[in-house]
């Protein structure tokens, strides 16, 4: 047996007051539509749209209509003073919401905090007024539902506080879920649950279930406690607690839903308002249940909180669009004509306007949402989103038309029987509703068919989307500092969703991280952090800092998909060919990555010569072989080598020493050798010998210097660029001893295929080296620094082997007091002068000396900076 309910429209005081106070809600909704249209040009568009709707529009509507219902249900009337206070509360809350959004987007945390404080103050004031009114009044049968509004107002400050803390970028990422649960399920959810107990039967024009008040009283503590438990579980990242809280919330909704179902059985929903609210309730329960299942699965799989975070990112838009937006539009479609009033006929005129094409709009919006929830292509999801927005935004136009028509009806005082064209059908007998619903469904289906026809690959989008939804999640913490990401190489099992928690640990520089698949993070100030969802990794993927010049300085990252097969998602391939700026010709090699297994740095140390009473004959055998070697992290080339290394072995002697060199060719082509350190006729000594042959090359070192040797077989450029070069150090007389002595030979690589390819002669002709290196490997002395001792003199012999690039050798943080170049001292143990760089053309050499003043790390580079960024870079580790 059901009993009558006191309807809000029968007792609502000052209806024009409430209608005017809700105008900002419509403004917020209009901003949401604008944000949707301008999304491609907006920062964080999804965050902005959700917060414009929930923090702006929904919050304002709650502040207005919960007060409206409180007066009706508590059978009290609004005073002039209360109207003023209500206006102040609304101004405080709306201003606070605007500041929060502006502060986050700016980003200026102080503005965000001020906005959050204003919003919280407005809501607490709102809750206090409701509590005071409930204490003064004699509530009717449903008066206790006001407690839902009071509980919601008590929960919002917690959620808003978490939101302000999250804006600092220092808060733990699991607090995002706690923030969302408190605000969406607490502030909005509790308000909606309490309102529907009375509003739902009113919309249906029926009597409330006789047990509805009892059910509402039982459901409130369940729902409120469940929200708090779930939020605590999220904040602590304890999945079982979170799951229990969410399950309790579903149980509370079920208690409320029983009375709603009984009312709907008496008067099935058929108006737009009723259908929209019903659809919103279904999305509400469905999304929370989806979260319950996700939390349980994540716990049982041992995947951790990160997997649930990915699911939350998918669900929150549906809570906003399916639940919050539809319940707001549905409720306003009923309430606005009622509060505008004017008598039965004007109200019917307004209601008819709001109800136009109601079934069409409901079917289109919800079918489009279902498409977005399915694993479809991005094209289909984008088209479905447009259909949803069009169906929902039509409310704004119909509202203007309805209010205008209702106003005319009120002014005329006539008993109008029509709105626009055709008669107003009696409630419950609207024609063509089934046809409209079918038309809405067909519109969505047709749009999806057009997507497939325009882009057959749309059907292929199903697999990646499904994989993203169900893939295991791997979370990796990455720091950005010193123009490097650490770690710079991440191995991920193919088919795993990768999330990177990036922190900018650089004390002064802004950094970001973007990927070749189009995923990009935001620019992070020093100390800031964010989580970047890279997506499901199906093949190797390159990433880099997009700040100008940072990528060229080596700020790159490589994601390696272990166990990957051919194919993969668009933008994620086995390598980087075809991605602008990411093939080796463009320099997209991660020089900061760790060298491969078996890496051994070229020994740059030059041991002192043994004492000798006179000239010494030095015999050496140099064997030529072909060998696939790593020249940079992850990059191998097939080189032609003297004694298995590039550069070849350093020959070391004094003026007057004789070198007897036996050249053995074990390669599969002809090769030769040319020693600049000797004076001999090239005809015999430098001749090309075929595979399997050998020759003896003898010369006497008559002049000091660091001399180049190389293969002189044509094309000479290709042979030298393939590793056939080296240095001969002939010490000047009376060269003083030093603490440490090193040899650095600069050379270039013109890469072929990255996995064992041969030199690319077209790049040689174009003069576009991929790598410029010291001693044969890009940045190898970043990974294995050369050592020195503070206060001890260090001598560095430098040879530019070319083939094309000059060098300007420089040690960062050091000054040379001795510079010897091509047979002469430019500076010799100077006391009050010095040099900053040793400039050499190809095939020129010299040495520099310096003393490091204090311990630290001193980079050395070619100050042709583009070459330093190509790999001519290393570090002295000074103890």
């Amino acid at each position: 047996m059901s009993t009558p309910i006191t309807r809000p429209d029968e007792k609502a005081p000052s209806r024009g007051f409430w209608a005017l106070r809700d105008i900002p809600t419509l403004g917020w909704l209009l901003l949401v539509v604008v944000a949707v249209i301008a999304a491609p040009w907006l920062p964080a568009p999804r965050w902005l749209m959700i917060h414009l709707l929930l923090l702006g529009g929904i919050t304002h509507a709650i502040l207005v209509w919960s007060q409206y219902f409180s007066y009706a249900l508590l059978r009290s009337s609004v005073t002039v003073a209360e109207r003023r206070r209500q206006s102040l509360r609304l101004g405080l809350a709306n201003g606070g919401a605007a500041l929060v959004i502006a502060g986050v987007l700016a980003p200026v945390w102080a503005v965000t905090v001020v906005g959050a404080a204003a919003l919280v103050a407005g809501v607490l004031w709102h809750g206090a007024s409701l509590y005071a009114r409930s204490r003064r009044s004699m509530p009717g049968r449903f008066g206790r539902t006001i407690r839902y509004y009071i509980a919601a107002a008590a929960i919002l400050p917690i959620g808003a506080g978490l939101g302000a803390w999250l804006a600092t970028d220092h808060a733990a990422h699991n607090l995002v879920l706690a923030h969302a649960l408190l605000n969406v399920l607490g502030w909005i959810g509790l308000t909606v649950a309490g309102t529907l107990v009375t509003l739902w039967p009113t919309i249906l024009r029926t009597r409330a279930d006789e047990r509805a008040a009892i059910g509402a009283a039982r459901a409130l503590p369940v729902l409120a406690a469940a929200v708090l438990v779930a939020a605590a579980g999220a904040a602590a990242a304890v999945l079982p607690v979170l799951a229990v809280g969410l399950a309790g919330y579903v149980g509370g909704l079920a208690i409320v839903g029983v009375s709603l179902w009984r009312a709907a059985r008496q008067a099935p929903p058929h108006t737009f308002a009723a259908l929209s609210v019903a659809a919103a309730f279904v999305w509400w329960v469905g999304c929370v249940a989806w979260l319950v299942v996700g939390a349980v699965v994540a716990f049982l799989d041992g995947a951790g909180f990160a997997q649930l975070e990915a699911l939350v990112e998918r669900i929150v838009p549906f809570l906003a669009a399916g639940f919050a937006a539809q319940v707001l539009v549905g409720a306003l479609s009923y309430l606005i004509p009622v509060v505008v009033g004017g008598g039965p006929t004007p109200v019917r005129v307004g209601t008819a306007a709001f109800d136009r094409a109601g079934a069409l709009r409901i079917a289109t919006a919800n079918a489009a949402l279902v498409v977005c929830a399915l694993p479809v292509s991005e094209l289909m999801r984008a088209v479905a989103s447009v259909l949803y927005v069009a169906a929902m935004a039509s409310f704004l136009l119909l509202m203007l038309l309805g209010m205008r028509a209702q106003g005319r009806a009120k002014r005329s005082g006539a008993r109008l029987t029509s709105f626009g064209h055709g008669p107003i059908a009696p409630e419950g007998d609207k024609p063509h509703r089934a046809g409209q619903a079918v038309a809405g469904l067909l519109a969505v289906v047709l749009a999806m068919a057009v997507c497939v026809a325009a882009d057959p690959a749309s059907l292929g989008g199903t697999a990646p989307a499904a994989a993203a939804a169900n893939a295991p999640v791997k979370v990796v913490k990455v720091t950005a500092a010193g123009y490097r990401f650490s770690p710079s190489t991440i191995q991920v099992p193919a088919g795993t969703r990768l999330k990177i928690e990036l922190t900018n640990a650089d004390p002064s520089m802004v950094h970001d991280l973007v990927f070749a698949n189009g995923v990009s993070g935001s620019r992070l100030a020093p100390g800031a952090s964010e989580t970047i969802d890279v997506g499901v990794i199906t093949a190797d993927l390159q990433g880099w800092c997009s700040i100008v010049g940072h990528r060229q300085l080596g700020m790159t990252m490589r994601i390696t998909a272990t166990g990957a097969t051919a194919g993969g998602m668009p933008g994620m391939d086995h390598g980087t060919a075809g991605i602008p700026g990411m093939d080796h010709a463009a320099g997209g090699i991660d020089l900061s990555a760790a060298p491969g297994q078996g890496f051994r740095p070229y020994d740059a140390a030059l041991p002192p010569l043994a004492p000798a009473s006179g000239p010494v004959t030095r015999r050496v055998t140099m064997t030529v072989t072909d060998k696939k070697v790593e020249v940079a992290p992850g990059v191998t080339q097939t080189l032609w080598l003297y004694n298995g290394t590039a550069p070849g072995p350093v020959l070391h002697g004094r003026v007057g020493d004789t070198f007897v060199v036996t050249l053995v060719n074990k390669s599969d082509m002809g090769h030769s050798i040319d020693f600049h350190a000797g004076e001999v006729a090239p005809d015999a000594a430098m001749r090309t010998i075929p595979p399997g042959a050998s020759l003896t090359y003898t010369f006497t070192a008559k002049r000091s210097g660091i001399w180049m040797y190389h293969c002189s077989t044509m094309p000479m450029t290709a042979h030298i660029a393939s590793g056939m070069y080296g240095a001969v150090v002939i010490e000047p007389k009376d060269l003083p001893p030093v603490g440490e002595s090193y040899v650095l030979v600069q050379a270039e690589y013109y890469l072929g295929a990255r996995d064992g390819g041969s030199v690319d002669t077209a790049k040689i002709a174009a003069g576009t080296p991929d790598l410029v290196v010291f001693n044969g490997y890009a940045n190898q002395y970043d990974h294995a620094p050369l050592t020195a001792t503070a206060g001890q003199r260090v001598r560095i012999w430098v040879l530019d082997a070319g083939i094309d690039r000059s060098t300007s050798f420089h040690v960062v943080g050091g000054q040379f007091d001795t510079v010897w170049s091509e047979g002469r001292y430019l500076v010799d143990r100077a006391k009050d002068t010095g040099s900053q760089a040793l400039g050499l053309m190809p095939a020129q050499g010299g040495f520099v000396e310096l003393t490091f003043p204090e311990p630290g790390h001193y980079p050395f580079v070619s100050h042709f900076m583009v070459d330093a960024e190509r790999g001519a870079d290393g570090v002295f580790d000074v103890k």
Side-chain angles (χ1 to χ4, degrees), residues 46 50 54 177 180 184 311-321:
R46 191 173 80 161
I50 289 174
L54 302 183
L177 178 55
V184 179
L311 180 62
V312 170
E313 290 177 8
R314 292 193 62 206
I315 292 176
V316 166
F318 295 103
L319 269 173

Side-chain angles (χ1 to χ4, degrees), residues 22 24-26 28-30 32 52-54 56-65 188 192 196 199 203 272-273 276-277 280-281 319-336 354 392 395-396:
D22 202 40
T25 296
L26 309 178
W28 285 109
L29 294 180
L30 185 59
V32 174
L52 286 173
L53 173 63
L54 302 183
I58 299 287
T59 292
H60 181 86
I62 288 174
L63 294 176
V64 171
W65 296 108
I188 298 174
V192 171
L196 289 183
L199 182 62
I203 292 175
F272 172 79
S276 185
V277 170
F281 192 84
L319 269 173
F323 161 52
Q326 289 200 104
V327 78
L328 175 64
V329 170
L332 292 181
S333 295
Y334 173 79
L335 289 170
I336 289 177
F354 279 93
M392 296 297 290
F395 163 79
L396 296 174

Side-chain angles (χ1 to χ4, degrees), residues 164-240:
W165 176 242
L166 286 166
T168 65
D169 287 327
H170 296 300
H173 295 289
N174 50 295
L175 293 182
V176 174
L177 178 55
H179 163 72
L181 292 174
L182 290 167
N183 288 353
V184 179
L185 302 187
W187 166 239
I188 298 174
L190 290 181
T191 302
V192 171
T195 301
L196 289 183
V197 173
T198 55
L199 182 62
W200 175 245
T202 305
I203 292 175
L204 296 177
R205 308 279 183 182
T206 189
R207 304 160 78 89
D209 178 62
E210 62 181 7
R211 286 165 289 185
I214 297 174
R218 291 175 177 172
L220 175 58
V222 175
L223 289 170
V227 168
L228 296 175
V229 169
V238 180
L239 288 173

Side-chain angles (χ1 to χ4, degrees), residues 484-491 554 556-558 560 589-600 630-635 754 777-780 782-784:
R484 295 291 184 270
F485 292 113
S486 179
S488 60
T489 300
I490 300 172
Q491 291 191 341
T556 58
M557 174 179 288
R558 183 171 183 82
T560 302
I589 303 171
D590 185 2
L591 300 182
S592 65
Q597 292 183 352
F599 165 76
R600 290 185 179 180
E630 188 175 62
V631 298
V635 180
R754 63 176 295 172
Y777 193 103
N779 285 21
Q780 67 175 312
D782 286 344
H783 306 291

Side-chain angles (χ1 to χ4, degrees), residues 35-393:
V36 171
I37 297 172
W41 302 278
L42 292 175
R46 191 173 80 161
W47 181 93
L48 178 60
M49 286 183 279
I50 289 174
H51 283 76
L52 286 173
L53 173 63
L54 302 183
L55 188 63
I58 299 287
T59 292
H60 181 86
I62 288 174
L63 294 176
V64 171
W65 296 108
S66 58
Q67 289 283 346
Y68 169 82
F69 282 112
S70 74
Y71 281 106
L73 295 170
L74 296 175
R75 299 172 180 174
S76 58
S77 58
V78 61
T79 64
V80 174
E82 178 57 26
R83 291 186 184 189
R84 292 172 182 162
R85 288 192 290 270
Q86 173 71 351
S87 297
L88 290 174
R89 285 194 295 267
L90 293 176
L92 197 60
N94 280 284
L99 286 176
V100 167
I101 293 172
V104 171
L105 294 179
V108 180
W109 189 63
V111 174
T112 304
V113 171
V114 171
L119 175 64
V120 168
V123 171
L124 286 177
W125 188 4
H126 161 79
S129 72
L130 292 173
Y131 178 76
R133 189 174 307 122
S134 68
R135 298 284 292 178
R136 293 193 305 265
S137 304
M138 292 294 294
R141 180 181 167 204
F142 290 95
R144 288 184 175 84
T145 56
I146 304 303
R147 296 173 182 174
Y148 278 82
Y149 305 151
I150 298 171
I155 287 176
L156 178 84
I158 307 173
L162 284 178
W165 176 242
L166 286 166
T168 65
D169 287 327
H170 296 300
H173 295 289
N174 50 295
L175 293 182
V176 174
L177 178 55
H179 163 72
L181 292 174
L182 290 167
N183 288 353
V184 179
L185 302 187
W187 166 239
I188 298 174
L190 290 181
T191 302
V192 171
T195 301
L196 289 183
V197 173
T198 55
L199 182 62
W200 175 245
T202 305
I203 292 175
L204 296 177
R205 308 279 183 182
T206 189
R207 304 160 78 89
D209 178 62
E210 62 181 7
R211 286 165 289 185
I214 297 174
R218 291 175 177 172
L220 175 58
V222 175
L223 289 170
V227 168
L228 296 175
V229 169
V238 180
L239 288 173
V241 175
L242 173 62
V244 168
L246 291 173
Y249 194 86
V250 173
L253 290 179
I255 296 172
V256 175
V258 169
S259 63
L260 304 185
W261 170 253
R262 288 171 177 161
R265 289 181 61 186
Q266 297 179 63
H270 55 266
T271 63
F272 172 79
L275 291 171
S276 185
V277 170
F281 192 84
V282 171
W283 281 103
W284 187 11
V285 176
C287 287
V288 179
W290 194 359
L291 277 175
V292 173
V293 174
V296 172
V297 170
F299 174 71
L300 294 178
D301 289 347
F305 203 81
Q307 179 171 310
L308 185 65
E309 283 185 323
L311 180 62
V312 170
E313 290 177 8
R314 292 193 62 206
I315 292 176
V316 166
F318 295 103
L319 269 173
F323 161 52
Q326 289 200 104
V327 78
L328 175 64
V329 170
L332 292 181
S333 295
Y334 173 79
L335 289 170
I336 289 177
V338 169
V339 298
V340 170
T345 297
V347 170
R348 290 211 316 271
V349 168
T351 301
F354 279 93
D355 203 40
R356 281 210 154 184
L360 173 67
R361 290 185 282 146
I362 289 293
T364 303
N366 285 277
L369 276 181
V370 170
V371 170
C372 291
L374 295 174
V376 297
S377 70
E378 289 303 315
L379 173 63
M380 298 172 74
R381 186 171 286 110
V383 172
S385 299
V386 170
L387 291 173
Y388 169 83
V389 171
M392 296 297 290

